[in-house]
Amino acid sequence: MPLVLYLLALAVFAQGTSEFMLSGLVSDIAADMEVSVSAAGTLTSAFAVGMVVGAPLMAVLSLRWSRRRALLAFLVTFLLAHVVGALTTSYGVLLATRVVGALANAGFLAVALATATGLVAPDAKGRATSVLLGGTTLACVAGVPGGALLGQLWGWRAAFWAVALVSLPAVVAVARSVPSDSPGAAPASARSELAALRAPRLLVTLLLGALVNGATFCAFTYLEPLATHVAGVGDAWMPGLLALFGLGSFVGVTLGGRVADSRPLPLLVAGSLALLAGWAAFALTAQHTAATVAFAFVQGTLSFAVGSTLIARALYAATAAPTLGGAFATAALNIGAAVGPWAGGRAIDAGLGYRSPLWVSAALMALALATGGGAALLARRSARVRPADLTPGRGRTSVPPRP
């Protein structure tokens, strides 16, 4: 893999830290801003909504920019949003900075996906995607627990300052190492790329990505209150638990990168079934510390293995729309990341307890399996009825009319 992919992953690491770090800071932000835990959790949904809107919008705006210019503009905006977020005392302003940061993150990731897949062979999109998303999973391993630790030591604002500081070397790396345009990149129009995104297979893949990511974020956003109030995990151990989830996600992305280019279907089917069973089993055994620790790793692995494979399949299905294909994949994943925490928060507010987000995650996975199975069945039925079979004299024996 080209070195520039790993430099792009450094920027994705900073952005992934920002997106996920609230999982370890929800209670502190709620107390400091004098809002409910579910309102603090909504900050994650706000970031995801910004990603959903920003991915296609920012990608369209940047179609005529050089790749380096687009990446730098998005990254600097992301950095400044976190500086403002670290300084504000208003929940409304903090909410706004999450949306702005998400818009910038979405634009960066859409362009970075197009850049990464354009730098490798046509049959290596899965590996390129896994390298780029490796930055996100490393954020789960080191960035998110580190943010939780900083929050415990110096308050949640320290985590926002840390994200801004980590973004600085990423700005320098992108400015020096990313070519102004990627090899083989050609001018594109929004209309031509949008036309290429109407394929049913791609639309189903994007829907599945949204459902799987919704299940992941529904559970992950409320992992801290679940672990501390239900499993009895002490606050001092939360960074380690978050790191374990992150380690599982890194293993999952690595596994997805190895399989997504060659045998994606077995991984998607088996992984989705295991995720459904895992979220339900987690909900039933969450009172046991050992079970919480084990499922944090296992579900992190499965979630990111399935999720990263779905991204790779979406990029394969959208070869005629390299920039907007990545943008719509980003948007689909973040629709799930917005709906998941919102649904989990509503379940908690309804008095169903901190286990309820796990049951919501299981329901989302059941819906994903039903959707995937239904789409596969329709595809098989459509394949059996071909236009040639409906043409007189082909595919059947003609009976001449009687005189």
Side-chain angles (χ1 to χ4, degrees):
M1 293 287 105
L3 176 62
V4 66
L5 294 187
Y6 297 94
L7 297 173
L8 290 173
L10 173 64
V12 174
F13 167 78
Q15 295 167 355
T17 297
S18 173
E19 185 171 7
F20 298 142
M21 69 183 180
L22 296 192
S23 297
L25 304 172
V26 167
S27 297
D28 290 342
I29 293 174
D32 186 44
M33 292 290 181
E34 297 182 348
V35 296
S36 66
V37 170
S38 61
T42 301
L43 292 170
T44 299
S45 292
F47 195 97
V49 168
M51 292 283 285
V52 171
V53 175
L57 178 61
M58 296 297 105
V60 169
L61 290 177
S62 66
L63 277 175
R64 296 297 178 179
W65 297 357
S66 72
R67 296 277 170 83
R68 181 169 59 195
R69 177 188 175 189
L71 292 172
L72 284 174
F74 293 137
L75 192 52
V76 170
T77 302
F78 174 84
L79 187 158
L80 294 176
H82 283 74
V83 171
V84 175
L87 293 172
T88 188
T89 58
S90 166
Y91 174 80
V93 173
L94 180 61
L95 187 65
T97 65
R98 297 302 289 167
V99 175
V100 172
L103 289 171
N105 186 0
F108 182 91
L109 189 55
V111 177
L113 281 169
T115 302
T117 54
L119 290 168
V120 299
D123 60 349
K125 295 181 187 293
R127 289 182 60 198
T129 300
S130 71
V131 170
L132 197 63
L133 295 183
T136 300
T137 59
L138 288 177
C140 294
V141 175
V144 175
L149 183 59
L150 288 174
Q152 291 177 7
L153 295 175
W154 296 302
W156 62 268
R157 298 175 192 276
F160 279 69
W161 283 115
V163 169
L165 290 174
V166 170
S167 298
L168 282 175
V171 171
V172 175
V174 169
R176 291 185 175 182
S177 303
V178 175
S180 60
D181 228 335
S182 296
S189 69
R191 180 176 297 179
S192 63
E193 290 212 8
L194 284 170
L197 297 176
R198 299 173 183 172
R201 182 164 63 95
L202 173 61
L203 296 176
V204 171
T205 303
L206 295 177
L207 177 57
L208 293 176
L211 291 170
V212 171
N213 216 41
T216 302
F217 272 81
C218 180
F220 185 62
T221 299
Y222 300 101
L223 181 60
E224 181 257 339
L226 172 75
T228 55
H229 291 88
V230 178
V233 176
D235 289 339
W237 292 101
M238 274 309 302
L241 184 63
L242 293 171
L244 191 62
F245 182 92
L247 180 61
S249 68
F250 180 77
V251 172
V253 163
T254 303
L255 176 63
R258 292 176 180 273
V259 179
D261 294 318
S262 56
R263 301 183 62 193
L265 188 58
L267 187 149
L268 290 175
V269 173
S272 296
L273 288 170
L275 275 172
L276 170 58
W279 290 130
F282 193 178
L284 292 171
T285 60
Q287 72 274 17
H288 302 294
T289 301
T292 296
V293 170
F295 278 115
F297 176 80
V298 171
Q299 296 302 95
T301 300
L302 292 171
S303 294
F304 279 79
V306 173
S308 64
T309 301
L310 285 170
I311 292 177
R313 300 322 299 172
L315 294 175
Y316 273 114
T319 53
T323 300
L324 292 187
F328 274 74
T330 300
L333 293 181
N334 283 280
I335 288 174
V339 172
W342 174 84
R346 299 292 76 75
I348 293 173
D349 288 344
L352 300 178
Y354 289 122
R355 297 174 192 251
S356 57
L358 300 175
W359 288 114
V360 175
S361 295
L364 290 172
M365 285 309 307
L367 182 57
L369 283 164
T371 301
L377 182 60
L378 287 175
R380 287 182 181 178
R381 288 182 176 178
S382 298
R384 291 174 185 169
V385 182
R386 303 184 184 278
D389 296 333
L390 302 179
T391 302
R394 297 187 63 182
R396 62 184 182 182
T397 302
S398 297
V399 179
R402 292 184 179 181

